[in-house]
Amino acid sequence: MSLSLQLLLVASLFTVLVIVVMSFSDQKILVRTFQFLSLLFLAGSVFLLFTEYTAFHKREVRNGAIEIIDWQNLPEYEIIKNELTAFRHFQEYRNALNGYEFFLLDVAQQGNDPKSYPNTLRDEIIAQLQNKEYEPAYWKKVFAIAFDFVPKLEEFERANYSAVFSIPFGFLYQEEDFPDLTDTENYSNFERESQLIYIALKAQSFDRSSEKVSYFWDQNKVYFYTFFSNARYEKLCKELIDDLILVYEEIVNTPLHQEFYAKYDVSDEEFLNFPSKKFTRKFEYSWPFSFWDRRFREQNDKELIQILKEIQNHYKD
């Protein structure tokens, strides 16, 4: 109970007491004086209570300061916000150091090989991509990894066939060759290598049945069209997609192509004799031919050529 409310209650009781005494007393002047004082006391208590009530609603503090509800507009708020941001970065860095400390303790206690730390870090980088699979930010990241985006130049490297060849096909972890990951450039290269390994593993584990391939494209093609503007498509993808379509149409229009690709693959000398040496020599790489060899084996070539032609027509229009 506040002080003003207590005073109001005391004043009220005092006034009632004076009225009771007045009814039984013969000293009219004295009683009237007490009655006047009690009424004055009561009025003062009411005024004090009213003032406190008004001050409460206006958020006025008794020392004259005003409580500002929208404190985010204060200049000090930006300082506080920056300090909190810095604190969060420090907290993350501290957690990383603590994690590395526990790792080293585990190495010392269990006798593990400390060179396994880069592999642990690589698994973490891969897990970060796995946790965001098929979201818009995920596709933007995957495309930037495959085509090797250089932020300083705002340019993409490894266009067309170079992008295809940048994805590793074997995974031999040579731990003794890991560079010093405290160096920024070394870590950046290590991170991209780990991300490329993720893409390769994803491609190897992907269900390439004809139904799944079509469904996957229908669900995600909007990201392809959004990421690749006409200019970017011309630079990064057009040559490869045009070659794949041209090679496929030449192959399927050649008799006995199914029998040939069932019998030979890219490791055989005869592989690039089909459909003819004259035709295969037009291409710098054998990759388009081995690509369709794998699609024939997986029996999803019709779905893939339909997707590739859809992409080609999209950018022609």
Side-chain angles (χ1 to χ4, degrees), residues 103 106-108 110-120 175-176:
F103 171 79
D106 181 66
V107 168
Q110 305 296 330
N112 296 329
D113 185 355
K115 292 181 180 178
S116 65
Y117 175 69
N119 283 335
T120 303
E175 298 184 2
E176 67 276 7

Side-chain angles (χ1 to χ4, degrees), residues 39-54:
L39 291 174
L40 186 63
F41 185 27
L42 180 62
S45 300
V46 171
F47 177 76
L48 182 62
L49 180 63
F50 175 76
T51 302
E52 187 176 81
Y53 176 79
T54 305

Side-chain angles (χ1 to χ4, degrees), residues 106-163:
D106 181 66
V107 168
Q109 294 172 359
Q110 305 296 330
N112 296 329
D113 185 355
K115 292 181 180 178
S116 65
Y117 175 69
N119 283 335
T120 303
L121 184 60
R122 170 170 284 162
D123 291 341
E124 175 62 24
I125 293 171
I126 291 174
Q128 290 174 4
L129 280 170
Q130 289 174 331
N131 293 336
K132 298 180 181 179
E133 283 182 356
Y134 309 147
E135 298 176 1
Y138 166 83
W139 283 114
K140 184 177 181 180
K141 184 69 173 178
V142 167
F143 291 141
I145 294 166
F147 292 95
D148 193 11
F149 181 69
V150 183
K152 292 182 180 179
L153 304 176
E154 291 293 324
E155 288 288 339
F156 284 89
E157 298 179 353
R158 303 178 188 269
N160 295 298
Y161 287 95
S162 296

Side-chain angles (χ1 to χ4, degrees), residues 149-203:
F149 181 69
V150 183
K152 292 182 180 179
L153 304 176
E154 291 293 324
E155 288 288 339
F156 284 89
E157 298 179 353
R158 303 178 188 269
N160 295 298
Y161 287 95
S162 296
V164 173
F165 297 152
S166 71
I167 300 174
F169 293 96
F171 312 105
L172 297 176
Y173 296 109
Q174 299 178 357
E175 298 184 2
E176 67 276 7
D177 293 334
F178 282 129
D180 178 10
L181 296 181
T182 59
D183 179 82
T184 304
E185 184 176 356
N186 286 343
Y187 180 82
S188 179
N189 293 334
F190 175 82
E191 182 182 36
R192 184 172 184 277
E193 176 189 293
S194 302
Q195 293 165 337
L196 285 170
I197 289 174
Y198 162 80
I199 295 176
L201 290 171
K202 189 66 180 176

Side-chain angles (χ1 to χ4, degrees), residues 243-302:
D243 285 356
L244 286 171
I245 293 173
L246 182 61
V247 168
Y248 180 82
E249 290 179 340
E250 185 72 18
I251 289 174
V252 296
N253 288 325
T254 302
L256 303 177
H257 69 276
Q258 292 180 335
E259 290 80 358
F260 178 85
Y261 282 100
K263 184 177 181 180
Y264 300 105
D265 60 33
V266 71
S267 62
D268 299 314
E269 292 184 8
E270 296 87 347
F271 186 75
L272 292 179
N273 294 338
F274 190 89
S276 67
K277 288 185 177 181
K278 182 180 179 180
F279 179 75
T280 57
R281 286 173 182 169
K282 295 179 182 179
F283 300 89
E284 184 177 359
Y285 302 104
S286 63
W287 189 85
F289 298 91
S290 62
F291 175 86
W292 288 117
D293 179 31
R294 292 187 293 274
R295 304 296 81 80
F296 292 140
R297 185 167 61 251
E298 295 165 354
Q299 298 182 351
N300 56 23
D301 59 293
K302 292 181 175 58

Side-chain angles (χ1 to χ4, degrees), residues 44-95:
S45 300
V46 171
F47 177 76
L48 182 62
L49 180 63
F50 175 76
T51 302
E52 187 176 81
Y53 176 79
T54 305
F56 174 77
H57 281 277
K58 291 183 178 180
R59 299 294 194 274
E60 292 182 357
V61 183
R62 289 195 175 277
N63 60 9
I66 299 177
E67 179 184 347
I68 300 176
I69 298 175
D70 192 7
W71 64 281
Q72 293 183 356
N73 292 329
L74 286 173
E76 292 83 356
Y77 173 70
E78 286 299 321
I79 299 175
I80 295 172
K81 186 173 69 173
N82 293 336
E83 289 177 348
L84 288 174
T85 301
F87 176 74
R88 290 191 188 96
H89 287 310
F90 172 77
Q91 190 177 43
E92 292 173 0
Y93 185 65
R94 182 203 63 188
N95 292 340

